Amino acid sequence: RRMSVQSGIGGNDLTEIIYPDIVGLKYVYRSGGAVGDMVIDLKDGSKLEMRHVPEFRDIYKYILDKISPEAREKSFPMKD
């Protein structure tokens, strides 16, 4: 139902969003595709940027599966 992102120095910042608030996903690969950066667009116009995400492909596909069909259409498809 929700996604939590721990970030900041020492992991002291916590951001939580619910999947229905996501209106789009974008990504770019890093380190030859081993990791990636992701931008999550939210209903209120804000963006959650995540950089150097480990297990990137699995996480992106998981989030893509949880969002609405409308948001999925606006998102970058995951290339296999």
Side-chain angles (χ1 to χ4, degrees):
R1 175 141 167 75
R2 84 178 61 217
M3 183 173 115
S4 298
V5 178
Q6 198 170 3
S7 63
I9 297 174
N12 293 328
D13 296 327
L14 182 68
T15 301
E16 292 189 331
I17 57 173
I18 58 174
Y19 294 109
D21 283 348
I22 298 173
V23 296
L25 295 172
K26 298 174 187 134
Y27 71 92
V28 64
Y29 285 117
R30 299 280 184 214
S31 301
V35 297
D37 295 351
M38 185 183 320
V39 176
I40 300 174
D41 297 319
L42 302 173
K43 281 184 182 177
D44 66 0
S46 62
K47 298 177 187 304
L48 174 62
E49 296 183 18
M50 297 187 293
R51 302 200 188 283
H52 205 78
V53 178
E55 299 178 34
F56 170 74
R57 295 175 65 79
D58 293 336
I59 292 170
Y60 190 88
K61 286 179 182 180
Y62 180 83
I63 296 170
L64 202 59
D65 187 52
K66 295 289 185 182
I67 60 177
S68 71
E70 295 82 14
R72 205 171 298 124
E73 285 179 23
K74 295 178 184 177
S75 300
F76 289 3
M78 176 58 69
K79 299 173 186 170
D80 290 323

